[in-house]
Amino acid sequence: MVTVKLICGEYFVPTIFSPNGTGPSENNTLKVFGKPGCVKDYSFVIYDRWGQKVFDATTIYLEWDGFYKGRPAQEGNYVYDLNIQLYDDTMLHKSGSLSLVR
């Protein structure tokens, strides 16, 4: 019998992004970096400065394009809440702030 253990490593949320269509394409969306194969359950929520939810993802593959209700979100500061349950049932929680720059 062989047991394989995935080494999942860190999950990283950038603190700034610029969804304006210029520059490197990686800067046009905001996503969580990490190994998707390790994720059992996932929640990533972004709020504006008034506490309004502007983005919600239940899979690590979803990225925020900087739009809210079909329109470009305002430039400024946002906060996020990230919860990940790994396949070994380890729970990861991160929260912090990020900036949207146009």
Side-chain angles (χ1 to χ4, degrees):
M1 174 181 233
V2 175
T3 302
V4 177
K5 181 171 174 128
L6 289 174
I7 300 174
C8 293
E10 291 289 318
Y11 288 82
F12 172 74
V13 179
T15 58
I16 189 167
F17 83 117
S18 182
N20 58 10
T22 63
S25 63
E26 295 84 13
N27 291 343
N28 290 322
T29 59
L30 181 77
K31 67 179 181 177
V32 176
F33 291 88
K35 293 185 179 176
C38 294
V39 176
K40 182 177 182 181
D41 194 28
Y42 179 89
S43 172
F44 182 49
V45 183
I46 300 173
Y47 301 93
D48 66 15
R49 66 177 127 188
W50 297 281
Q52 179 75 35
K53 186 189 312 182
V54 297
F55 179 75
D56 186 3
T58 56
T59 175
I60 196 167
Y61 297 105
L62 290 178
E63 303 174 1
W64 186 34
D65 61 3
F67 278 73
Y68 175 61
K69 293 186 177 181
R71 298 180 51 171
Q74 288 186 347
E75 184 174 46
N77 295 322
Y78 293 81
V79 295
Y80 70 86
D81 187 50
L82 173 65
N83 291 288
I84 300 174
Q85 181 180 9
L86 303 177
Y87 272 103
D88 66 359
D89 289 327
T90 302
M91 296 295 295
L92 302 176
H93 174 79
K94 288 188 176 191
S95 59
S97 61
L98 58 97
S99 297
L100 186 155
V101 179
R102 296 228 180 251

